[in-house]
Amino acid sequence: MQRRTLLGASPLLLLPSLLHAQSYPNKPIRYIVPVSAGGGSDMVGRTVTERWGKVLNQSFVVENQGGGGGVIACQNAAKAAPDGYTLLQGYVATHGTSPATRKLPYDAVKDFTPVGMIGGTPNVLVVNAALPVTTVKGFVDYLRANTGKLSYGSAGAGSLTHLTMELFKLQVNSFMVHIPYRGIAPAFTDLMGGQTQAMFPGLAAAMPHIRSGRVRALAVTGPQRHPQLKDTPTLDELGYKGFDAMQWYGVVGPANLPAPIVKQLNETLNAVLNAPDLREKLSVEAVEPMPMTAQKFGDYIREDIARWTRLAKERGIQLDS
């Protein structure tokens, strides 16, 4: 009798969360993108949420909250009610490189609930086209023969473009002077002008300059070759390990987001990512969809932070917030 009573009561214990999940979403979802409107990250967010809203039968309201390298957006998202109606498009800076190199007013792991990965684009090792090298081996040999004479640009101190090159320098045991810029555009200007000799930009930013012949691509990060650079090897296949990190985009909510809502959001997001037309849309930013479970995405965030934290400590990279 007692066992039957417990069995009969157990669904009632789950009823509030089940009803919440079944009625969710019943109003528009606020989707915070931590950059200004018009850039690649903004395009990714708007492209995904347009389709995601159709699957959920509810609209998304995209809010661009630039400033502070994503800090403002992250704080606002972390403080929101954990009801599934405020989501944040986290990315490699907010939940990867910045936590590794700066003291932040938010905890990238504890203050958020992972919902799902959207996708990623590799970084690409490029050199000025006038440099007499066509392979990574040739570049390393040239670097060692000209120790202290070469410099590389980045989109800013602590950025993925900075840390990836520092990882490369560590692996090849050589030296280049780091020249940080305010964004990738001026860094490319000086690279093509010969003021710097190499860089590790994101593929989307690099492709126009690779196609123009002003810079030469030597290798890409990531686990496999990219469709837009099929003849360019990965660093991994060349024997350089640890370069599987990419410029990635994903979705998180405030901490303590109910599990049924996380499951619903994750499954519907993955359904959107598996649609062939989305892959084509995201290819404009060289982003490859990377659907995964919420748990796997949470593991990915923790591993990315750990990766860059180790490197930052080894290279003495610690920046003011």
Side-chain angles (χ1 to χ4, degrees), residues 212-224:
S212 73
R214 302 284 298 277
V215 303
R216 183 179 299 120
L218 302 183
V220 297
T221 64
Q224 57 197 19

Side-chain angles (χ1 to χ4, degrees), residues 6-320:
L6 288 171
L7 287 173
S10 59
L12 296 178
L13 297 176
L14 299 173
L15 190 57
S17 60
L18 288 171
L19 288 174
H20 192 65
Q22 287 170 359
S23 63
Y24 173 86
N26 56 30
K27 63 180 180 179
I29 299 169
R30 179 188 184 207
Y31 189 85
I32 300 174
V33 177
V35 297
S36 301
S41 182
D42 181 49
M43 186 282 285
V44 169
R46 291 179 185 275
T47 300
V48 169
T49 55
E50 179 188 2
R51 289 160 173 73
W52 199 3
K54 292 177 181 176
V55 177
L56 286 169
N57 197 30
Q58 189 56 259
S59 61
F60 281 81
V61 178
V62 177
E63 288 186 17
N64 295 91
Q65 296 184 10
V71 169
I72 296 171
C74 286
Q75 285 182 291
N76 290 338
K79 292 174 182 176
D83 55 9
Y85 289 101
T86 297
L87 301 175
L88 170 75
Q89 183 169 287
Y91 69 115
V92 67
T94 60
H95 287 72
T97 57
S98 288
T101 58
R102 291 176 167 87
K103 290 183 179 179
L104 299 170
Y106 66 89
D107 188 306
V109 174
K110 294 179 181 178
D111 292 344
F112 299 92
T113 302
V115 171
M117 175 70 88
I118 293 175
T121 182
N123 285 59
V124 53
L125 174 59
V126 295
V127 296
N128 179 286
L131 217 63
V133 299
T134 57
T135 64
V136 173
K137 183 181 183 303
F139 178 57
V140 172
D141 291 342
Y142 186 81
L143 191 58
R144 289 172 177 166
N146 294 275
T147 300
K149 298 179 182 179
L150 305 184
S151 61
Y152 76 93
S154 79
S159 66
L160 186 62
T161 54
H162 175 203
L163 296 181
T164 307
M165 188 64 87
E166 287 300 312
L167 178 60
F168 182 77
K169 286 167 56 179
L170 190 65
Q171 288 215 10
V172 302
N173 192 28
S174 195
F175 177 77
M176 279 185 287
V177 176
H178 173 219
I179 310 295
Y181 292 83
R182 286 183 171 273
I184 203 67
F188 260 115
T189 298
D190 276 6
L191 175 63
M192 294 184 291
Q195 283 75 30
T196 60
Q197 288 72 48
M199 192 159 61
F200 251 117
L203 182 56
M207 281 307 298
H209 306 299
I210 294 171
R211 292 191 181 110
S212 73
R214 302 284 298 277
V215 303
R216 183 179 299 120
L218 302 183
V220 297
T221 64
Q224 57 197 19
R225 295 192 183 196
H226 196 276
Q228 294 189 27
L229 281 179
K230 294 179 180 178
D231 296 329
T232 302
T234 66
L235 284 158
D236 183 79
E237 67 184 271
L238 295 175
Y240 299 95
K241 304 302 178 182
F243 287 92
D244 50 339
M246 299 189 293
Q247 170 79 36
W248 57 262
Y249 306 93
V251 183
V252 297
N256 302 314
L257 204 59
I261 288 180
V262 173
K263 184 175 186 293
Q264 184 179 358
L265 287 171
N266 178 263
E267 290 177 350
T268 51
L269 173 61
N270 289 344
V272 169
L273 296 176
N274 285 317
D277 71 313
L278 184 78
R279 180 181 295 271
E280 185 179 345
K281 283 281 186 180
L282 294 183
S283 68
V284 174
E285 287 298 320
V287 173
E288 282 288 299
M290 296 168 59
M292 59 180 68
T293 65
Q295 181 178 345
K296 187 175 180 182
F297 179 45
D299 292 341
Y300 187 99
I301 291 173
R302 286 187 288 272
E303 289 166 6
D304 213 40
I305 293 172
R307 175 209 316 278
W308 299 123
T309 298
R310 286 192 299 270
L311 178 69
K313 287 181 178 178
E314 192 159 359
R315 305 301 281 182
I317 302 170
Q318 186 60 46
L319 310 170
D320 293 331

